Coordinates of all heavy atoms in Angstrom, one line a residue:
W86 N -64.0 58.9 -10.1 CA -64.4 59.5 -11.3 C -63.2 59.5 -12.3 O -62.0 59.6 -11.9 CB -64.8 60.9 -11.0 CG -65.4 61.7 -12.2 CD1 -66.6 61.5 -12.8 CD2 -64.8 62.8 -12.8 NE1 -66.8 62.4 -13.8 CE2 -65.6 63.2 -13.9 CE3 -63.5 63.4 -12.8 CZ2 -65.4 64.3 -14.6 CZ3 -63.2 64.5 -13.5 CH2 -64.3 64.9 -14.5
K87 N -63.5 59.0 -13.5 CA -62.4 58.9 -14.5 C -62.5 60.0 -15.6 O -61.9 59.9 -16.7 CB -62.5 57.5 -15.3 CG -62.5 56.4 -14.3 CD -61.2 56.1 -13.7 CE -61.1 54.9 -12.8 NZ -60.2 54.9 -11.8
G88 N -63.0 61.1 -15.4 CA -63.0 62.2 -16.3 C -64.3 62.4 -17.0 O -64.4 63.4 -17.9
H89 N -65.2 61.5 -16.8 CA -66.5 61.7 -17.5 C -67.5 60.8 -16.7 O -67.2 60.0 -15.9 CB -66.4 61.2 -19.0 CG -66.0 59.8 -19.1 ND1 -67.0 58.7 -19.2 CD2 -64.8 59.2 -19.2 CE1 -66.4 57.6 -19.3 NE2 -65.2 57.8 -19.3
G90 N -68.8 61.1 -17.0 CA -69.9 60.4 -16.4 C -70.7 61.2 -15.5 O -70.3 62.4 -15.1
P91 N -71.8 60.7 -15.0 CA -72.7 61.5 -14.2 C -72.1 61.9 -13.0 O -71.5 61.1 -12.2 CB -73.9 60.6 -14.1 CG -73.7 59.2 -14.6 CD -72.4 59.4 -15.3
I92 N -72.5 63.2 -12.6 CA -72.3 63.6 -11.2 C -73.6 64.3 -10.8 O -73.9 65.4 -10.9 CB -71.1 64.8 -11.3 CG1 -69.9 64.2 -12.0 CG2 -70.9 65.3 -9.9 CD1 -68.9 65.3 -12.4
P93 N -74.4 63.4 -10.1 CA -75.8 63.8 -9.9 C -76.0 65.0 -9.0 O -75.4 65.1 -7.9 CB -76.4 62.6 -9.2 CG -75.5 61.4 -9.5 CD -74.1 62.2 -9.6
W94 N -76.9 65.9 -9.4 CA -77.2 67.2 -8.6 C -78.0 66.7 -7.4 O -77.8 67.4 -6.4 CB -78.0 68.0 -9.5 CG -78.7 69.3 -8.8 CD1 -79.9 69.4 -8.6 CD2 -77.9 70.5 -8.5 NE1 -80.1 70.6 -7.9 CE2 -78.9 71.3 -8.0 CE3 -76.6 70.9 -8.6 CZ2 -78.6 72.6 -7.5 CZ3 -76.4 72.2 -8.1 CH2 -77.4 73.0 -7.6
E95 N -78.7 65.7 -7.4 CA -79.5 65.3 -6.2 C -78.6 64.9 -5.1 O -79.2 64.8 -3.9 CB -80.6 64.3 -6.6 CG -80.1 63.0 -7.2 CD -79.9 63.1 -8.6 OE1 -80.1 64.1 -9.3 OE2 -79.7 61.9 -9.2
H96 N -77.5 64.5 -5.3 CA -76.6 64.2 -4.2 C -75.9 65.4 -3.6 O -75.1 66.1 -4.3 CB -75.5 63.2 -4.8 CG -74.6 62.8 -3.6 ND1 -74.9 61.9 -2.7 CD2 -73.2 63.0 -3.5 CE1 -73.9 61.6 -1.9 NE2 -72.9 62.3 -2.4
R97 N -76.4 65.8 -2.5 CA -76.0 67.0 -1.9 C -74.4 67.4 -1.9 O -74.0 68.5 -2.2 CB -76.5 67.0 -0.2 CG -76.0 68.3 0.4 CD -76.5 68.4 1.7 NE -75.7 67.5 2.7 CZ -75.6 67.7 4.0 NH1 -76.3 68.5 4.7 NH2 -74.9 66.9 4.7
A98 N -73.6 66.4 -1.7 CA -72.1 66.6 -1.7 C -71.6 67.0 -3.1 O -70.5 67.6 -3.2 CB -71.4 65.4 -1.1
N99 N -72.3 66.7 -4.2 CA -71.9 67.0 -5.5 C -72.2 68.5 -6.0 O -71.6 69.0 -6.8 CB -72.6 66.1 -6.5 CG -72.0 64.7 -6.5 OD1 -71.1 64.4 -5.8 ND2 -72.7 63.8 -7.2
R100 N -73.2 69.1 -5.2 CA -73.5 70.5 -5.6 C -72.5 71.5 -5.5 O -72.5 72.5 -6.3 CB -74.9 70.8 -4.7 CG -76.0 70.0 -5.1 CD -77.4 70.4 -4.4 NE -78.3 69.6 -4.8 CZ -79.6 70.0 -4.6 NH1 -79.9 71.1 -4.1 NH2 -80.6 69.2 -5.1
G101 N -71.6 71.4 -4.5 CA -70.6 72.5 -4.5 C -69.7 72.5 -5.7 O -69.5 73.5 -6.3
F102 N -69.3 71.3 -6.2 CA -68.5 71.2 -7.5 C -69.3 71.7 -8.5 O -68.8 72.5 -9.4 CB -68.1 69.8 -7.8 CG -67.5 69.7 -9.0 CD1 -66.3 70.2 -9.4 CD2 -68.2 69.0 -10.1 CE1 -65.7 70.0 -10.7 CE2 -67.7 69.0 -11.4 CZ -66.5 69.4 -11.6
L103 N -70.6 71.2 -8.7 CA -71.5 71.7 -9.9 C -71.8 73.3 -9.8 O -71.7 73.8 -10.9 CB -72.8 70.8 -9.8 CG -72.6 69.3 -10.0 CD1 -73.8 68.5 -9.8 CD2 -72.0 69.1 -11.5
R104 N -72.0 73.7 -8.7 CA -72.1 75.2 -8.5 C -70.8 75.9 -8.9 O -70.9 77.0 -9.6 CB -72.6 75.5 -7.2 CG -74.0 75.3 -6.8 CD -74.5 75.6 -5.6 NE -74.2 77.0 -5.3 CZ -74.5 77.6 -4.0 NH1 -75.0 77.0 -3.0 NH2 -74.2 78.9 -3.8
C105 N -69.7 75.4 -8.5 CA -68.5 76.0 -8.9 C -68.3 76.0 -10.5 O -67.7 77.0 -11.0 CB -67.2 75.4 -8.2 SG -67.0 75.9 -6.5

Side-chain angles (χ1 to χ4, degrees):
W86 185 74
K87 303 291 187 210
H89 62 92
I92 305 167
W94 174 252
E95 60 269 9
H96 182 66
R97 177 176 77 156
N99 289 352
R100 289 187 177 197
F102 170 75
L103 296 167
R104 283 182 54 184
C105 281

